[in-house]
Amino acid sequence: MRSDATERGAQGKEIVIEIGVCYIRFSISHASLFRLAGNPDLLDHNAPELRRALDETWAVLTQAVCNAQAQGWRRDQPSEVVAMMCWSIVHGIASIHNSRLHPAGLHSQDTIDIMRAVSELL
C-alpha cells in the first residue's frame, strides 16, 4: 500500500491517507474477515502470528506518520498518538460502512470519498 502511494508521487500526509484508503477498501472487500478480526471473542489477539501481523501493520502506519511529521504535518504531537487518531478515524468509518450505520445524508456517498473528506480536517 505504501509503495503504491509513493509510486504515484504521494508524500507525507498523503501517504497516511492512502494507508487509510487501503484499510477501508480491505474492510469493504473482505467484510467478514474485517468483522472477525475486530471480535476478541472469536480471535486470540495474543496468538503469535496474529500479534506479529498487528505489530507489522502498526509499524507501517507509525512510520508513515513519522515521515509525514518530518515534513511538518502534526510535528509537535507524539507519533503514536497521531497514528492512533488516524487508525481510530479510519476504523470508525470502515465499521460504520460495514454496519450500514451511515447517517441518512451520507447514504449515497462513497465511503472512500467520505474518508478523504474527513482527512481534510486533519
Side-chain angles (χ1 to χ4, degrees), residues 61-89:
L61 178 58
T62 54
Q63 184 60 56
V65 166
C66 288
N67 292 343
Q69 288 179 306
Q71 295 177 19
W73 179 66
R74 298 197 171 267
R75 179 174 287 172
D76 297 332
Q77 298 167 329
S79 300
E80 289 213 340
V81 173
V82 175
M84 181 58 76
M85 174 191 68
C86 294
W87 184 22
S88 299
I89 290 168

Side-chain angles (χ1 to χ4, degrees), residues 24-69:
I24 288 177
R25 284 188 178 137
F26 177 86
S27 78
I28 292 169
S29 63
H30 300 88
S32 295
L33 183 57
F34 179 78
R35 283 190 294 275
L36 175 66
N39 189 332
D41 294 331
L42 299 176
L43 286 181
D44 176 6
H45 286 90
N46 292 315
E49 186 175 319
L50 182 55
R51 187 77 255 157
R52 192 170 27 261
L54 291 168
D55 292 345
E56 288 171 5
T57 302
W58 179 250
V60 168
L61 178 58
T62 54
Q63 184 60 56
V65 166
C66 288
N67 292 343
Q69 288 179 306

Side-chain angles (χ1 to χ4, degrees), residues 1 4 15 18 23 44 49 64 73-74 79 97 100 108 115:
M1 68 186 132
D4 291 346
I15 292 177
E18 288 306 310
Y23 188 91
D44 176 6
E49 186 175 319
W73 179 66
R74 298 197 171 267
S79 300
H97 172 85
R100 295 180 179 88
S108 63
M115 200 282 304

